Each structure stands twice: as structure tokens, then as C-alpha cells.
Amino acid sequence: MTAPGARWRLFPARGVEAGRGAGARRRGGRLPRAVVALVAVAALVALTPRLVAGTGDGTGPGGLDPLARFLLAAAVVVFVCHACGALLRRFHQPAVVGEVLGGIVLGPSVLGALWPNGTAALFTAEVRSALGLAAQLGLVTFMFLLGCELRLTGLAARRRTVAVVVTGAMGLTLVAGVVVALLGHRLIGGSAQRPVTVLFFGLALSITALPVLARILADLGLTRTPLGGLAISCAAAGDVVLWLGLTALLGVAGVGGSGAFAATAGAVAALLLVTVLWIRPALAALVRWAQRRPDATQLLLPVLVGGAIAYAAATQVVGLHPVLGAFVFGLAVPRDSAAVEHVNDRLRGFTMAVLLPLFFAGIGLATSVALLGGEPARWLFFAGVILAASGGKFLGAGVGARLAGLPRRDTLRLGVLLNCRGVTEIVVAAIGWQYHLVNDFGLTVLVLVALVTTAMTGPLMNVLGDPAPAPTERKPPDGRTPRPRTAAAPSGR
């Protein structure tokens, strides 16, 4: 019997009435919880094919409606990608490396090889199509944020140095990539004509990922040093050259669907004129108005997001990839505005947490490390691509830096930093794969190159030296790392 006034407790209180000390709780509390959690996870894994496909082998009639299938697949993608990202951060790698690996784990490279029935039941054709559409929305938002946060104001003071370094780093890597692509065209070539494929492949290798580079520089304490500022400026200028070159290549090839270069070029020119003459001033006026009224950010968010999506649709209609339109609209948004920064922070969280992992999953489902196979020619080609991508950046940036008068000790460091490709190369590789400029093997090679070159950046910089952070890089009293003003990065990607 329970004493009058006493309360019945599901979990006993601490102390004598619990009948256990702290050590007993550690022995009898945490261990059963871990066992129960493991049993629950094992049961969920075992029952997933039956829940998803209606049968234990994943081949029977569907047991879930399409919406439930999509939501379950999205939940798995978000969990696995972020778990892999957290794991890689423990090894001092950017989170994007782990998130991309998470997408590959869910694809035929790992999960498809170990559990093909479960993969087929979870990622049906209908689910993959829905994930692809959501991933495109994530790409559009990501490129809009990248355009918003791309700052070219620091280029004027060092324009000669930046021009020489970017020409050397991108030019030599482009040439090396074209040569390697010519030698292995039969391995990577899609349905497009050969010159377009090799030019695209060389352009894809010449990328430097500005967002993940900014994150690596912050981790190394180099953001406000001369070397860090130069690397950010070169990456920003290289981004502009990259997207201009990719736009021209897609327009000339007519791979977007229009098939008429003159019509596409005219439409793009008209869009740029409208952006410069009308849209940019209108956005500046709207932002100034929002700055005076704090509650106006509720209106600014749908205007910016809707504008980015509308621009993406416009470039898709004229025959170019939608991310190009979102990037252009982001460039038109005014900089250094607290209202815009507030909107971007709200948008960035959901994009990086949910939408971008869906894109990584789509890439992972199309990427198969098994495509390298046991054929020596494929492995030799992959090694040649790694050598061309890294050697072109090291040598091209180093020679350019020496011609610009930089100290010898900084030339190799600059090449290592500009060799970081991150998610930008994966986005470009996905565009080429979508338009059949490269096949599945070509996509796999480009994705692996992006992972390898991004993962080697931090360790190589540590090998070359551990520079002391600049005085301005000290953390404020709240302990947070100050955000770089030269180029902000969407969550280090």
C-alpha cells in the first residue's frame, strides 16, 4: 500500500527510497538503455523492407503510400548525411565531406551492395524522382545564398595579383583536365559531342569551392591574413569565371533544350540588363525600407526566395541550368544589410540541414565506386585525373603567385588552398551528368575528386606549417569565431 499523501512514481526518486547509489544507477540504468536502443534500431532495420515494400524481400506490392515513402526516405537521408558529417568533423574535416559520403553510403556503392532489397524498397523510382525535385530546390537556394555572400569588393586593391593567380591556377588545370579527358573520353563521354565533354571536364576540374575554403581558412586562423585574403579573392574571381564559362558552354552546346545559341544568348543578355537596370535598384530600395522597419523582414523573405526561384525558372526556360539564374539573382541582392543577413540566416538553416543532403543523396544514388571495377585503365584514368586536378592547381597557382611577387613559402600554400573543390564541383558535375555531358563513370570520378581534394586541403596546410592567427582573428568575449567579411560561406560548404 502507498502511504497517504505519497505519490506513485514511474521512475523512483534519488536517494534512499530509490534503493540504489550512483554507481548502481550507472551499472543498471545506462546499460539497459543502450541495449534497448540497439534492439530498437535492429528491429527497425529488419522491418524497414516490410514497412516500405509490403514484403520482407522488398519485391512485393507497396505497403506505404507515396508520401509516406518520400518522407521516410528523406528522414533516412537527413539522418545518415548529418551523422557522417558529424563523424568527419571529429577528424577535422569539413562537414560537407561527410555529408557527401553519407549520400554515397546510401547509394549502390555501400548500402546497395550490402542490402540491395532494402535500397530498392526505400529508394523507388517514384521516391528518387521526388527527391530529385526537392534537391533541385535545394540547389537553387544554395546558389542564391552563394551569390548573396559573394563579395568582390577586395579585388580592386589586388586585381593584378588575383588575375595572374587565377589565370595560372584555372588555366593550367583546365588544360590538364582537357588532356586527361581526351585520353579517357571513351570512359567518361556521354551522348554529347566530344569537344563539349572534354571542355566541360576540364572546366569542372578548375573549380575552387569558395564556401568550404572560407571555412577551412577560419579553422586554420588564416581568414584575415594576406594569404587568406588572397585565396578568398582568387576563389571569388574564379567562381565568376567558372559560371560564366559554364553558361557559355551550355549555350554553345545547346544542351538545355533550346538548341539555338543566338536565342539563348539574347535571352540571357536581356535578363542581365533587366537585373542591372531594374531588379537591383528595386531590391536596394526594398532593403533600405526593410532596414527602417524591423517587422519588414517577414516580407523580405518571400520576395528574395520567390525572386531566386523565378530567376531559376527563367534560365531553365531559355535553355540553361536553373542554378545559374538563382546565382545571378543572389548577386543582385545588396550586401552588408542586417535585414538581408537575417533572411539568409533563416533560409540557410533549412537549406543546409534538409535540402542539400537530399541533393547529396541523389548524387550518391547515381555514383558507384564499383564503376572503377578491376579494370586497370579506369584506375589509371582516375589517378591521372587526381594528378591533373591537384598538379594543375599547385603549379599554376604557384607560378602565378611567384610572377605576382609573393614569397616563395606562400606559393605552395596558395596552390593547396585553391585545390579545395567542395560542393561546388559536385554541383557542376551534377549539371554535366544531367545534360549527358558525362556518363555515370564521369560523375563518379568528379565526385571522388571533389572529396579527395577537399579532404587533403587541411592536412596539407598543417604539414606546410601552422601559422599563428592574425591579431584581428582573436575570438570575442562570447567565444564565437568572427565571421569573415570578404566572403561568407553557407555552412562551410
Side-chain angles (χ1 to χ4, degrees), residues 184-360:
H185 180 265
R186 69 177 185 85
L187 297 175
I188 63 170
S191 60
Q193 40 198 308
R194 182 176 182 179
V196 176
T197 295
V198 297
L199 283 175
F200 170 81
F201 202 82
L203 188 65
L205 293 184
S206 64
I207 293 170
T208 296
L210 174 61
V212 69
L213 175 62
R215 176 60 184 269
I216 291 175
L217 288 172
D219 291 342
L220 294 175
L222 295 174
T223 300
R224 300 182 185 273
T225 63
L227 178 64
L230 178 60
I232 287 290
S233 298
C234 291
D239 265 8
V240 175
V241 174
L242 163 71
W243 295 113
L244 287 176
L246 183 60
T247 302
L249 182 62
L250 295 179
V252 171
V255 298
S258 65
F261 173 68
T264 300
V268 171
L271 183 64
L272 292 177
L273 284 176
V274 169
T275 302
V276 173
L277 297 178
W278 292 341
I279 302 300
R280 184 178 177 85
L283 288 175
L286 178 63
V287 169
R288 286 194 300 269
W289 174 75
Q291 287 283 86
R292 297 192 298 268
R293 301 186 57 176
D295 59 334
T297 55
Q298 299 296 329
L299 174 64
L300 194 59
L301 176 61
V303 169
L304 294 183
V305 175
I309 296 175
Y311 262 64
T315 50
Q316 174 73 17
V317 169
V318 302
L320 298 176
H321 199 277
V323 300
L324 301 175
F327 182 72
V328 169
F329 186 79
L331 291 175
V333 175
R335 267 60 172 168
D336 301 324
S337 166
V340 173
E341 189 61 36
H342 177 67
V343 169
N344 287 351
D345 286 339
R346 294 176 60 185
L347 188 60
R348 187 183 301 112
F350 183 74
T351 301
M352 303 307 167
V354 179
L355 295 181
L356 211 56
L358 299 183
F359 167 70
F360 295 147

Side-chain angles (χ1 to χ4, degrees), residues 67 80 82 91 121 182 204 227 233 236 251 255 273 275 298 302 307 310 320 377 410 429 437 441 452 477 481:
L67 178 58
V80 172
H82 283 286
F91 294 93
L182 283 172
L227 178 64
S233 298
V255 298
L273 284 176
T275 302
Q298 299 296 329
L320 298 176
D410 286 341
L437 300 181
F441 177 73
V452 171
T481 302

Side-chain angles (χ1 to χ4, degrees), residues 92-158:
H92 307 288
Q93 289 292 335
V96 65
V97 176
E99 292 172 6
V100 176
L101 284 175
I104 295 177
V105 165
L106 293 173
S109 301
V110 180
L111 186 62
L114 299 177
W115 192 20
N117 290 335
T119 303
L122 184 62
F123 297 106
T124 63
E126 189 176 34
V127 169
R128 293 180 65 167
S129 177
L131 289 175
L133 293 177
Q136 290 301 315
L137 183 60
L139 274 186
V140 166
T141 310
F142 175 77
M143 291 303 297
F144 164 72
L145 291 172
L146 186 59
C148 284
E149 297 171 345
L150 181 62
R151 287 168 170 80
L152 304 176
T153 53
L155 295 181
R158 50 169 74 96

